[in-house]
Amino acid sequence: MTRYDAVGDGQLSRRRLLAAGGLTAAVGLLTPMSNALPAYAEDDSEPELGTMAVCSGNPYVNRAWVGESGWDLRHRTGWNGLVGVHGGRHSEQFNATFHNRCNTWLQNLDAIARISRPNTSSSWGIQWLGDIGAGVCKTGQHGTGRALDISRVQWDGGFVDLNKHWRGPETRVVKRRYLAVVASCRRYFRNVFTAWYDTDGSHVNHVHVDDNGNNSGGVNIRTSHKGDTTIVQAAGRYLGVNSDIAIDGIWGPITQSAYNTLMARFKMTTSSGGCQTYNPLSSTADMKVFLRWVIRNALADQNAGYYHSPTC
């Protein structure tokens, strides 16, 4: 059966955390990573203890929640194997406009998960969000409170750990959850840095999101952008289109073919039976439609096309 809808829109140091859980190479997914500690991105290395505050002169709000006031923000404090251990509710510093964007993102993920969940008795509503930092006085978006490093999404029916669940040995269902969370982030944030994006190890244990210092939010899918390309490649790999496609961030003919197949299975062209033809490569609105179907099928643990746009 095919379906469619019209859903709207204690802390550890960086070095110790990455040594504990951040340097395991993916099997059959990414270029093998060096065993040496990576050269960290200046904008997004995990903050050391005591530096978690926006830089002086940048206005901020303290928030202990994201999405809804009852959805705790919980800081990752350690490890249980590759799974992060999180403490209780805690506050981070955000630019107020950026926090509002984070709220919209998580509310939308909650709404999509509730209607797309696997066949279980739980509602798959958001319970809490894990993080490793927001406002941090340093160069880049963290310094102004316009970035968030996400470590876990907890639903009442399951969770995704953003250090563990992208890795080669993990099951398809949790890899699909990782994909769903990354795709949901990309709908609302211009920059989404993932384990697929940074093979140097700087983002293997969390997902970084920021709004690029402005309020414009997400943009169309950019074939020249490594982050956008890896999302399309991962959707092709994990949603039953091409299990052998490399997630390397290079948009070539194999990636173009996977993208075309995803568009057809999502009924996003009139030639595939859809009511209209979309162009996520040039339209922000169409990008959101495309990624909605990625999220819905991934969270339902289904191949692309189980959920799709209306047909005519």
Side-chain angles (χ1 to χ4, degrees), residues 2 4 266-267 272-275 308-312:
T2 57
Y4 67 85
F266 294 155
K267 308 298 182 186
S272 62
C275 293
H308 58 73
S309 295
T311 56
C312 294

Side-chain angles (χ1 to χ4, degrees), residues 66-207:
V66 171
E68 304 286 351
S69 60
W71 298 348
D72 292 355
L73 192 61
R74 302 186 182 185
H75 197 78
R76 188 175 66 198
T77 58
W79 300 97
N80 180 9
L82 290 175
V83 175
V85 175
H86 292 77
R89 184 180 177 103
H90 88 121
S91 294
E92 293 283 2
Q93 294 180 354
F94 295 85
N95 169 277
T97 301
F98 178 74
H99 185 260
N100 288 338
R101 186 178 304 285
C102 292
N103 294 341
T104 302
W105 156 65
L106 199 57
Q107 289 166 1
N108 185 259
L109 179 58
D110 173 75
I112 294 178
R114 287 178 183 273
I115 63 172
S116 309
R117 64 189 187 275
N119 186 21
T120 65
S121 59
S122 59
S123 71
W124 273 77
I126 295 289
Q127 290 191 321
W128 54 271
L129 184 72
D131 82 283
I132 60 170
V136 180
C137 190
K138 59 190 295 183
T139 59
Q141 304 308 313
H142 282 289
T144 62
R146 286 182 172 270
L148 176 64
D149 289 343
I150 306 162
S151 55
R152 178 169 172 143
V153 177
Q154 180 72 47
W155 293 276
D156 66 357
F159 73 97
V160 58
D161 185 282
L162 299 177
N163 175 62
K164 178 178 172 63
H165 287 154
W166 63 272
R167 297 176 185 275
E170 296 302 314
T171 63
R172 185 183 64 184
V173 65
V174 294
K175 290 179 181 177
R176 284 175 163 177
R177 290 179 194 169
Y178 184 95
L179 168 63
V181 168
V182 169
S184 73
C185 291
R186 181 58 183 79
R187 297 183 83 215
Y188 293 97
F189 303 100
R190 295 174 73 91
N191 292 325
V192 181
F193 300 152
T194 69
W196 306 322
Y197 179 88
D198 283 321
T199 55
D200 66 357
S202 55
H203 293 92
V204 296
N205 67 23
H206 67 281
V207 169

Side-chain angles (χ1 to χ4, degrees), residues 17 22 32-33 56 86 105 155 172 208 279 306 309-310:
L17 279 167
M33 290 180 284
S56 177
H86 292 77
W105 156 65
W155 293 276
R172 185 183 64 184
H208 164 102
N279 190 351
Y306 184 78
S309 295

Side-chain angles (χ1 to χ4, degrees), residues 24-33 166-170 175 196 199 233-234 237-238 242-248:
T24 301
V27 177
L29 174 61
L30 297 169
T31 302
M33 290 180 284
W166 63 272
R167 297 176 185 275
E170 296 302 314
K175 290 179 181 177
W196 306 322
T199 55
Q233 291 170 335
R237 186 181 182 101
Y238 296 128
N242 181 351
S243 62
D244 295 322
I245 190 171
I247 307 179
D248 59 9

